[in-house]
Amino acid sequence: MAESWATLGVDLHLEPTGSGVRRGLTDALREAVRTGRLAPGTRLPSSRALAADLGIARNTVADAYADLVAEGWLTARQGSGTRVAERTVVPPPDAVPRRREQHRPAYDLIPGTPDLASFPRTEWLRAARRALAAAPNSALGYGDPRGRPELRSALAGYLARARGVRADPERIVVCAGFTQALDILGQLLRARGARTVAVESYGLDAHWNRLASAGLHTEPLPFDELGTDTGQLTDEGAVLLTPAHQFPMGAPLHPDRRSAVVEWARRTGGLVLEDDYDGEFRYDRQPVGALQGLDPDRVVHLGTTSKSLAPGLRLAWAVLPPALAEKAAAAKGEVDTCGALDQLTLAEFITSGAYDRHVRAARLRYRRRRDALVAALAAHAPDVHATGVAAGLHAVLRLPSGTEKSVVQAANWQGLALHGLSSFRHRAAVAEPLDALVVGYGTPPDHAWAGALDALCRVLP
């Protein structure tokens, strides 16, 4: 046998106390079992291995085990070793009580998450195997703070081809999710002397809060039928937009206003932060190209796998102007904080064509859900109209004035998780509030979509 007997068995942390080695060991084991630190069924190290670990005689450990078997704390069977007996665990009186699990809704229509059950596990695993087999040993080190070069190169090619982004691998910084990218940009904006960032009247308060935590004030821009009114920009240091598919209202930014925001950035030296959160999913119109393509020196393009694959991957990217790329990498830190293996897998997933295949299949699946939603509204709630459905993973359902709160409450009673449009309204927005629901039709798994749709129709006025 190549391994010595001392290396066999499991690790076990014990601190024998009290008078006598045997009694101290027995008490320590009993307490570990009583409090649940050693769970029922746990196999203990052999007496020889534990004696070697603790530096005591083997007979002392064997005697302690025998005492606890006799008391019923442990069981010992030939061939299966010594194990913790099955028994009710009584926590110590000062133990922190477990938090009660929140009641989970029967159906979830909260926007912001794709159908996680459709994650391409098989293709992802294949890509992971190929990536790991080809990875140099250096890939397992701390790495470049900008991210793995394989992923930055793959992203540069994909974004140029699919989104019209003028990207160079040296100008891409891989981040652990969109929020880290926003944190980094908040630092850079403060360093540039910015104090205010213009935002859309409707959006995610989590993003506004991240900017506020960087010491930046957020000022909402007016919103109308043409989208966010970028003509109202003045001396803000930056503006955060979702131009391809406004979240949550769903409309693309009007071409005139796309041009206006770029001209504002050129004139004032400000930055445009382009959140391209679900740019891959379009159904009834030509894709709206990335705003960054109009002026790569003034627009920061931000993307993520959170909608196309899964938010749990925590992979996002920022395509930055040349003058900011190095500063963003420095702000991120001295080493890469994103998992190298996931980065390599995503790079292989993109370059092999698996990412395009997955996005196309997902686009068809979500379009069928969108069509079913529109048809169900026409049949069961003809006075409720869906808007913003030409792209993305959610729809806005306009409601009669004054009914949003009651509909959301009724949905909660039906076990249906829903958000009203008011949840996404900036507290300083000046436009008249609209009553509407924001329905995330990408969230439920396929088998739950029909039930979610029926539950939604039951609560609509």
Side-chain angles (χ1 to χ4, degrees):
M1 182 181 294
E3 293 180 299
S4 68
W5 57 264
T7 64
L8 303 178
V10 299
D11 285 337
L12 181 62
H13 174 73
L14 291 171
E15 294 182 359
T17 59
S19 59
V21 176
R22 174 177 170 180
R23 179 176 177 179
L25 176 59
T26 304
D27 289 346
L29 283 166
R30 186 189 297 111
E31 184 67 8
V33 174
R34 186 183 70 81
T35 60
R37 192 166 66 81
L38 290 178
T42 300
R43 182 168 181 168
L44 301 183
S46 67
S47 58
R48 179 174 296 181
L50 185 56
D53 287 344
L54 298 177
I56 60 179
R58 179 185 177 189
N59 286 342
T60 302
V61 178
D63 291 342
Y65 280 179
D67 291 343
L68 294 172
V69 169
E71 294 176 14
W73 297 98
L74 305 178
T75 61
R77 293 181 182 177
Q78 185 69 28
S80 64
T82 303
R83 297 179 180 271
V84 176
E86 298 292 336
R87 59 187 299 116
T88 301
V89 176
V90 180
D94 59 346
V96 177
R98 290 185 179 180
R99 180 180 298 179
R100 277 182 78 179
E101 289 190 10
Q102 293 183 347
H103 176 68
R104 300 185 66 179
Y107 302 107
D108 186 356
L109 294 179
I110 303 298
T113 305
D115 176 7
L116 300 179
S118 68
F119 182 83
R121 296 170 186 253
T122 301
E123 287 294 333
W124 186 262
L125 183 58
R126 289 172 181 163
R129 287 172 172 162
R130 293 193 299 267
L132 185 58
N137 292 335
S138 59
L140 303 178
Y142 287 110
D144 188 326
R146 293 172 299 174
R148 288 298 307 170
E150 297 91 340
L151 178 55
R152 290 186 283 117
S153 178
L155 285 171
Y158 172 79
L159 294 172
R161 169 173 54 82
R163 300 296 299 126
V165 174
R166 290 155 65 182
D168 183 282
E170 297 303 308
R171 293 168 49 190
I172 296 177
V173 174
V174 179
C175 302
F178 182 85
T179 53
Q180 187 189 38
L182 208 54
D183 288 342
I184 291 170
L185 289 167
Q187 294 180 48
L188 297 184
L189 289 171
R190 286 287 295 177
R192 286 163 56 96
R195 294 297 178 267
T196 302
V197 175
V199 297
E200 295 166 315
S201 289
Y202 291 92
L204 290 173
D205 59 358
H207 295 170
W208 304 330
N209 293 338
R210 302 302 286 204
L211 293 171
S213 67
L216 295 162
H217 174 70
T218 58
E219 185 68 33
L221 293 169
F223 185 90
D224 58 25
E225 66 277 2
L226 299 181
T228 300
D229 188 355
T230 56
Q232 300 299 314
L233 286 163
T234 56
D235 58 353
E236 299 88 354
V239 56
L240 174 63
L241 298 172
T242 51
H245 183 233
Q246 204 283 326
F247 183 85
M249 301 304 288
L253 188 62
H254 191 273
D256 290 345
R257 294 183 174 179
R258 287 166 63 92
S259 300
V261 71
V262 171
E263 287 302 319
W264 164 83
R266 291 169 178 167
R267 183 178 68 254
T268 65
L271 278 179
V272 181
L273 312 183
E274 176 186 25
D275 179 4
D276 196 39
Y277 73 102
D278 65 356
E280 296 91 347
F281 298 111
R282 72 274 182 182
Y283 312 118
D284 300 329
R285 58 171 168 77
Q286 290 296 316
V288 177
L291 187 65
Q292 188 262 9
L294 298 180
D295 193 337
D297 292 332
R298 291 297 173 190
V299 181
V300 178
H301 181 83
L302 299 163
T304 172
T305 59
S306 294
K307 306 300 181 292
S308 59
L309 286 169
L313 291 178
R314 307 308 302 144
L315 286 175
W317 49 87
V319 184
L320 298 130
L324 287 182
E326 289 297 327
K327 293 178 181 178
K332 184 182 175 186
E334 295 182 358
V335 298
D336 190 6
T337 54
C338 304
L341 296 183
D342 280 342
Q343 290 188 62
L344 291 170
T345 301
L346 179 57
E348 172 64 24
F349 201 69
I350 293 172
T351 56
S352 68
Y355 186 76
D356 284 271
R357 291 192 296 272
H358 168 72
V359 168
R360 285 196 297 270
R363 191 183 296 142
L364 291 173
R365 182 169 60 254
Y366 294 137
R367 178 171 183 165
R368 287 194 293 268
R369 293 190 188 186
R370 189 280 311 263
D371 292 346
L373 170 62
V374 173
L377 292 177
H380 301 287
D383 294 332
V384 177
H385 302 289
T387 61
V389 294
L393 303 179
H394 74 276
V396 175
L397 308 189
R398 298 291 292 271
L399 300 173
S401 179
T403 63
E404 178 186 307
K405 184 175 180 181
S406 62
V407 171
V408 171
Q409 188 176 54
N412 290 334
W413 289 338
Q414 293 280 341
L416 180 64
L418 271 179
H419 278 346
L421 181 60
S422 59
S423 300
F424 303 96
R425 179 181 168 85
H426 195 286
R427 60 184 176 274
V430 296
E432 188 71 21
L434 301 173
D435 284 83
L437 301 176
V438 183
V439 176
Y441 56 80
T443 306
D446 284 339
H447 66 82
W449 173 235
L453 198 51
D454 289 342
L456 173 64
C457 290
R458 286 196 298 270
V459 303
L460 293 176

Short mmCIF file of all heavy atoms in Angstrom, two decimals, residues 238 369 377:
data_model
loop_
_atom_site.label_atom_id
_atom_site.label_comp_id
_atom_site.label_asym_id
_atom_site.label_seq_id
_atom_site.Cartn_x
_atom_site.Cartn_y
_atom_site.Cartn_z
N ALA A 238 -22.22 61.53 -16.33
CA ALA A 238 -22.48 60.30 -17.08
C ALA A 238 -23.98 60.07 -17.12
O ALA A 238 -24.75 60.70 -16.40
CB ALA A 238 -21.77 59.11 -16.42
N ARG A 369 -43.64 31.81 -25.68
CA ARG A 369 -44.27 32.24 -24.43
C ARG A 369 -44.87 33.63 -24.58
O ARG A 369 -45.98 33.89 -24.10
CB ARG A 369 -43.22 32.26 -23.30
CG ARG A 369 -42.69 30.90 -22.92
CD ARG A 369 -41.86 31.02 -21.66
NE ARG A 369 -41.18 29.78 -21.35
CZ ARG A 369 -40.47 29.58 -20.25
NH1 ARG A 369 -40.35 30.58 -19.38
NH2 ARG A 369 -39.87 28.43 -20.02
N LEU A 377 -54.19 37.30 -23.13
CA LEU A 377 -54.75 38.61 -22.79
C LEU A 377 -55.91 38.96 -23.71
O LEU A 377 -56.94 39.48 -23.26
CB LEU A 377 -53.66 39.68 -22.89
CG LEU A 377 -52.53 39.62 -21.86
CD1 LEU A 377 -51.49 40.69 -22.16
CD2 LEU A 377 -53.07 39.78 -20.45
#
